[in-house]
């Protein structure tokens, strides 16, 4: 079973996702080269794709503007100080080198979700999922979790 077939199967078996997910389009050679476009009920078009260096400013905006202080407290893989840009760049470089698996979800030209599986070759990998405050409770985290698993 291919990577995209596996995710399609998981998404179809999730009642929460099945009630909201419409019009899927996949470009997925493997987990490192994902572009997944879909329409989400009451939200519209969303695109999930593998993080790249070109995403730096959008990820920074997501972390600093898309997440409230409370959300940043709960999702804290990056230092929210003068080292933020260096940390984002390192994450994007490591993702490009296939050392970390990182995705961004886009809506209206902005990152609305950022999720990852880091240290996946270790006994205890690091999994993180963040959804911009304005999009929380839309149930997009279900999609993100299925992509990571």
């Amino acid at each position: 079973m291919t990577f995209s077939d596996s995710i399609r199967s998981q998404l179809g078996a999730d009642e929460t996702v099945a009630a909201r997910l419409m019009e899927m389009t996949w470009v997925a050679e493997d987990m490192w080269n994902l572009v997944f476009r879909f329409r989400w009920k009451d939200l519209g078009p969303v695109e999930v794709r593998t993080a790249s260096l070109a995403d730096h400013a959008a990820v920074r905006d997501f972390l600093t503007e898309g997440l409230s202080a409370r959300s940043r407290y709960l999702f804290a893989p990056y230092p929210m100080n003068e080292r933020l840009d260096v940390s984002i760049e390192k994450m994007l470089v490591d993702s490009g080198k296939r050392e970390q698996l990182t995705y961004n979800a886009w809506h209206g030209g902005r990152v609305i979700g950022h999720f990852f599986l880091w240290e996946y070759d270790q006994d205890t990998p690091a999994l993180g999922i963040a959804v911009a405050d304005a999009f929380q409770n839309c149930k997009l985290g279900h999609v993100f979790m299925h992509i990571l698993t």
Side-chain angles (χ1 to χ4, degrees), residues 10-11 115 127 129 140-149:
Q10 291 179 48
L11 294 173
F115 54 106
L127 184 145
I129 296 176
L140 286 168
H142 285 251
V143 174
F144 304 163
M145 182 61 84
H146 287 302
I147 290 171
L148 292 174
T149 59

Side-chain angles (χ1 to χ4, degrees), residues 90-135:
K90 181 182 179 335
M91 171 273 298
L92 293 170
V93 167
D94 288 350
S95 185
K97 293 190 303 188
R98 298 183 175 195
E99 293 177 4
Q100 298 179 355
L101 187 58
T102 308
Y103 299 104
N104 292 314
W106 298 78
H107 173 71
R110 296 182 62 91
V111 171
I112 63 164
H114 178 71
F115 54 106
F116 58 80
L117 184 61
W118 297 343
E119 301 170 2
Y120 56 86
D121 57 347
Q122 303 298 310
D123 290 339
T124 307
L127 184 145
I129 296 176
V131 177
D133 286 25
F135 298 91

Side-chain angles (χ1 to χ4, degrees), residues 45-83:
V46 177
E47 180 175 284
V48 172
R49 60 182 187 247
T50 307
S52 74
L53 283 171
D55 298 345
H56 186 121
V59 170
R60 184 179 213 298
D61 290 347
F62 168 77
L63 294 169
T64 60
E65 299 169 16
L67 298 178
S68 65
R70 174 78 176 145
S71 292
R72 285 191 301 271
Y73 171 77
L74 296 170
F75 180 78
Y78 305 101
M80 296 306 294
N81 58 30
E82 68 280 351
R83 296 180 327 199

